[in-house]
Each structure stands twice: as C-alpha cells, then as structure tokens.
C-alpha cells in the first residue's frame, strides 16, 4: 500500500532582515533620485518563501518626504528632494517587511528595520559678511549692508578704522566646516591709501588722504581652501575736515509765543517779532564759518 503524504506550507515564519539597525551618512549635496541604501542591504528573507512587501515611514517630525523606496517589492532607498543641513541634520526611518500585502485579511508576519540617517554638511556656500539679514525663509542667503567709516583729511591714522555698523568680519556659513577666511581690497583704492589685514579684516591707512573725496572700497572675503568661495562687501570711507570747534547756539535764550486753539504742528512765533515771524533756533560751528 503506497501512501502519498503532501506537506502543506503554512505561514509560520517572520521575515528576517540581515540588519535591524543601520546608520547611513548622507552628504548634504546628494543629488535627487540618488540611491541612499541599496536593495541588497535592505532585503528581508522569509523561510516560507513568501513574496515580501515593503513600506518606509519617517518618525522624526518635519523630515518627511525626503526618502522613499523604489517600490512595494523593492526596498532600495533613494532621495526624493534636496537636503538642507540648516533644516535638519538627522532623521530616523523605519522599514517594514510583510509577508502579505498591506491591508490583507490573511495572517501577516511583519519585521522592522530602523535606519538612522545623518546629514553631512558640505562646503556649498560662500562667506557671509556680518552683520547681515536673511532674505529667504530657509536662511540660506544673508545680505550685508555697506560698511561706513571716516578719516580726517591730511591725517594718517595708525589705528584700525572704527566702522559702522561694525568691523569688517566674515564667517563661513557652513558652520561645522568653519573654513579659514582671508581678506583683500580688490577695487576702489587707486591711490593705495588703505590696507586690510588678511587675517583679521582690520582696515588701516598706508598714507594720508589729500582730498575731500569719498572712497568706495570693495573688500573680498575668500575661503583659503577654495578661492571660488568668496563674497565682496562695500566699504565707504568719507574724507572729512577735522572738527576743531564744538557747535554753539547763537543765542543763550529764545522766546516764543503760541496762541490758544492752534492745531498740532502749527508754528511757534517769535515773542518780539510779531505774529507772522516763526521762531528760529540756530546754531553755528566755527569749523564751517560760511555755512
């Protein structure tokens, strides 16, 4: 008597990942659609030889939508949209492996793998002169105002200039890299009156200015490791006549008259000049006798 026995395979095994915890460092400038983790590093096996169905989720709020898998049966992870280190520098993904399609009414076994993504900042921005104002919401571009300084005609100062709104100073906005920056004057000083310290940005004089002109210097901040990463700021230096005398009022006392019921903004009249002569308070400066 021959008895044929058929062993029926039941779904009693859970899918197995080769690694259940992975960490991947991803450069900030990785191209969209680039592979982050290959299929062979993420595929799960199933002793029941079932087809595996995959799903990828992001568990860190605000970092959704950047990473995805190639398909429900292909767990290869790729980049969906550009990264920005200033927005976030890490996130965590969870990859699910199921032996039945999502939503199936059949008994389903599920395995998970946790993937930590670390964003690596890259050198992709030129120096910023400070202070500066952000012009976009992601704070990737910061624009500085011109620096302003003054120097007396025919006088050579040996001290660094005091500028507004502050000293010449630039930073590498790729903060974790913080590349060294050097300074130079590239335009606006045909007479070579001024010098800028390459390391500190301090502006000094080589010789005295001999005319009451203004100089509009163009100062460049350049990364030492990459001369193509640079920014230029304007520095306006006004040459003025030295003030030797303080201003003074031309009278020690001024007397005025107002009338009841006048509207705000109405003139105050001179007390001794009649009702039609506005009161004037004047000052003089002996440095400017003809003004």
């Amino acid at each position: 008597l021959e008895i044929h026995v058929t062993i029926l395979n039941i779904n009693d095994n859970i899918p197995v990942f080769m690694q259940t915890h992975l960490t991947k460092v991803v450069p900030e400038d990785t191209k969209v659609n680039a592979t982050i983790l290959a299929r062979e590093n993420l595929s799960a096996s199933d002793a029941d030889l079932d087809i595996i169905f995959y799903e990828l989720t992001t568990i860190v709020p605000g970092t959704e939508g950047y990473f995805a898998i190639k398909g429900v049966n292909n767990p290869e992870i790729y980049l969906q949209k550009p990264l920005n280190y200033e927005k976030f520098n890490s996130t965590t993904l969870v990859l699910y492996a199921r032996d039945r399609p999502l939503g199936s009414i059949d008994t389903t076994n599920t395995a998970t793998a946790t993937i930590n993504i670390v964003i690596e900042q890259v050198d992709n921005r030129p120096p910023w002169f400070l202070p500066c104002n952000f012009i976009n919401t992601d704070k990737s571009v910061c624009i500085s105002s011109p620096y302003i300084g003054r120097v007396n005609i025919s006088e050579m100062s040996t001290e660094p200039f005091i500028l507004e709104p502050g000293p010449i100073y630039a930073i590498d906005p790729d903060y974790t890299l913080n590349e060294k920056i050097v300074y130079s004057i590239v335009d606006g000083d045909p007479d070579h009156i001024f010098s800028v310290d390459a390391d500190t940005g301090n502006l000094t004089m080589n010789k005295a200015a001999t005319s009451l002109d203004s100089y509009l210097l163009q100062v460049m901040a350049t990364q030492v490791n990459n001369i193509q990463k640079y920014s230029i700021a304007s520095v306006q230096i006004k040459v003025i006549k030295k003030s030797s005398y303080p201003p003074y009022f031309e009278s020690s006392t001024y007397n005025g008259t107002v009338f009841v019921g006048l509207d705000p903004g109405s003139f105050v009249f001179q007390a001794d000049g009649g009702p039609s002569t506005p009161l004037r308070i004047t000052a003089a400066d002996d440095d400017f006798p003809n003004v």
Side-chain angles (χ1 to χ4, degrees):
L1 177 65
E2 291 185 0
I3 300 175
H4 296 278
V5 178
T6 301
I7 307 299
L8 299 178
N9 187 16
I10 64 171
N11 185 20
D12 59 349
N13 289 287
I14 298 174
V16 176
F17 283 106
M18 290 187 297
Q19 301 179 68
T20 57
H21 289 84
L22 300 89
T23 297
K24 179 66 176 180
V25 177
V26 181
E28 180 186 10
D29 60 351
T30 299
K31 302 296 184 183
V32 172
N33 295 322
T35 297
I36 304 302
L37 282 166
R39 179 174 186 169
E40 55 267 23
N41 296 324
L42 296 170
S43 296
S45 60
D46 188 346
D48 297 319
L49 303 180
D50 289 321
I51 295 175
I52 304 299
F53 298 87
Y54 298 94
E55 180 189 7
L56 185 69
T57 62
T58 303
I59 63 174
V60 178
T63 65
E64 302 89 347
Y66 286 87
F67 302 95
I69 56 176
K70 288 292 182 70
V72 68
N73 300 123
N74 183 355
E76 180 175 300
I77 296 177
Y78 70 99
L79 183 65
Q80 281 199 127
K81 59 183 181 179
L83 297 169
N84 185 335
Y85 184 87
E86 279 63 44
K87 284 189 174 180
F88 69 95
N89 53 39
S90 66
T91 188
T92 301
L93 312 174
V94 176
L95 181 63
Y96 293 87
R98 300 182 177 92
D99 54 15
R100 294 291 185 271
L102 185 65
S104 173
I105 61 174
D106 296 330
T107 301
T108 303
N109 297 307
T110 303
T112 60
T114 302
I115 303 152
N116 295 310
I117 301 291
V118 178
I119 310 302
E120 180 182 56
Q121 189 169 39
V122 298
D123 189 8
N124 62 354
R125 292 188 293 181
W128 287 347
F129 281 95
L130 299 181
C132 65
N133 297 310
F134 293 109
I135 64 171
N136 50 3
T137 56
D138 63 1
K139 297 185 177 181
S140 60
V141 179
C142 200
I143 302 298
S144 63
S145 300
Y147 297 96
I148 299 175
R150 296 169 180 80
V151 61
N152 294 322
I153 190 170
S154 302
E155 288 188 7
M156 177 178 166
S157 174
T158 58
E159 297 296 322
F161 279 40
I162 297 176
L163 302 174
E164 298 174 356
I168 297 173
Y169 180 59
I171 62 168
D172 179 4
D174 300 311
Y175 303 110
T176 62
L177 303 178
N178 195 27
E179 299 292 350
K180 179 177 173 58
I181 292 172
V182 293
Y183 305 90
S184 60
I185 297 175
V186 294
D187 196 14
D189 185 22
D191 301 323
H192 303 290
I193 293 175
F194 308 99
S195 290
V196 64
D197 188 286
D199 295 320
T200 66
N202 285 336
L203 191 66
T204 55
M205 300 187 74
N206 299 319
K207 56 185 178 181
T210 57
S211 62
L212 291 172
D213 295 326
S214 291
Y215 292 85
L216 188 61
L217 310 180
Q218 302 298 311
V219 176
M220 182 166 67
T222 309
Q223 288 185 195
V224 172
N225 71 323
N226 186 349
I227 61 174
Q228 295 182 342
K229 292 290 191 304
Y230 68 89
S231 292
I232 294 178
S234 297
V235 183
Q236 183 182 22
I237 302 298
K238 299 177 180 179
V239 182
I240 61 174
K241 183 179 178 181
K242 184 176 181 179
S243 179
S244 300
Y245 304 97
Y248 58 89
F249 289 105
E250 293 182 320
S251 175
S252 59
T253 304
Y254 293 87
N255 296 309
T257 300
V258 295
F259 299 97
V260 175
L262 286 178
D263 293 329
S266 299
F267 283 116
V268 175
F269 296 97
Q270 291 187 16
D272 55 357
S276 61
T277 305
L279 177 64
R280 297 181 63 197
I281 299 175
T282 58
D285 189 331
D286 290 339
D287 286 312
F288 306 95
N290 299 321
V291 177

